[in-house]
Amino acid sequence: MACVSSPGVKHCRRLAQEHKRFLGPIVHRAAPTDSRKSGKESGAAMRFTTVAKSLILGLAVLLASSAFAASKEHVQLSHATTVNGTTLKPGDYKLQWEGNGPDVEVSILQGKNVVAKVPGKIVDLKTPSQSSAAVVKNNDDGSKSLEGARFEGKSFALQLGGASDMQGGSSR
């Protein structure tokens, strides 16, 4: 039955209206395609996609945070000590530096406050340090200057400012 001519089109429409009850479900039902999958397959694919997106996002956040993460260690000063023109009172300080060497920028923090910034250098030690210690130089006028720091169990030390003698290693 061809519905090409106008009388035939009318006939097709009339036929469709008369048999709407029988043809409706057939006409409106979409034919299955390859893009449609069963509910289980579709759900599994969506779960996989969600998990994959979450993993990628988590990895991106981890890499971003590690890129901005700084190395940090603590050191205890028992006397007033000068570093880069700033006098540090006796107490516990955190040395925080960015980069993996040899040249780094060292921030000296007391609590959350940066009290001094000084250029530094990471120096390899022949053996890991037995304890954490500040390397302090006694000046001719009786004052003390912070020249560097060693950290317990670490095979590197920080050399601060223009200090040149950290004994026992080469710069990396």
Side-chain angles (χ1 to χ4, degrees):
M1 167 196 289
C3 297
V4 177
S5 66
S6 66
V9 171
K10 289 180 182 176
H11 175 73
C12 288
R13 286 185 184 158
R14 189 170 12 122
L15 180 68
Q17 281 182 341
E18 288 175 4
H19 299 291
K20 191 178 200 179
R21 189 173 27 162
F22 299 110
L23 295 176
I26 295 170
V27 171
H28 296 292
R29 185 174 59 196
T33 63
D34 289 339
S35 64
R36 293 187 184 172
K37 296 182 175 149
S38 71
K40 287 184 181 180
E41 290 175 5
S42 178
M46 288 176 60
R47 279 192 299 274
F48 176 76
T49 303
T50 303
V51 169
K53 286 179 184 177
S54 298
L55 287 174
I56 290 170
L57 180 63
L59 183 62
V61 168
L62 178 65
L63 290 175
S65 65
S66 66
F68 295 107
S71 300
K72 55 189 166 195
E73 293 289 339
H74 290 270
V75 69
Q76 180 76 31
L77 296 176
S78 54
H79 302 287
T81 308
T82 304
V83 62
N84 204 26
T86 303
T87 301
L88 305 177
K89 297 177 183 174
D92 187 38
Y93 291 88
K94 180 169 52 172
L95 303 179
Q96 183 172 317
W97 62 96
E98 302 214 10
N100 52 5
D103 296 320
V104 293
E105 179 73 20
V106 181
S107 297
I108 301 172
L109 294 94
Q110 188 169 38
K112 293 184 179 186
N113 300 325
V114 176
V115 292
K117 284 193 173 208
V118 61
K121 189 173 271 194
I122 297 176
V123 179
D124 285 330
L125 301 175
K126 292 178 184 174
T127 59
S129 182
Q130 299 281 330
S131 62
S132 293
V135 178
V136 178
K137 175 184 174 189
N138 291 320
N139 299 320
D140 294 336
D141 63 358
S143 65
K144 298 181 183 304
S145 297
L146 183 61
E147 299 236 329
R150 296 175 185 227
F151 311 107
E152 182 177 355
K154 307 289 183 181
S155 59
F156 67 89
L158 273 180
Q159 179 179 319
L160 301 178
S164 60
D165 185 25
M166 286 296 288
Q167 299 176 358
S170 61
S171 64
R172 61 169 162 165

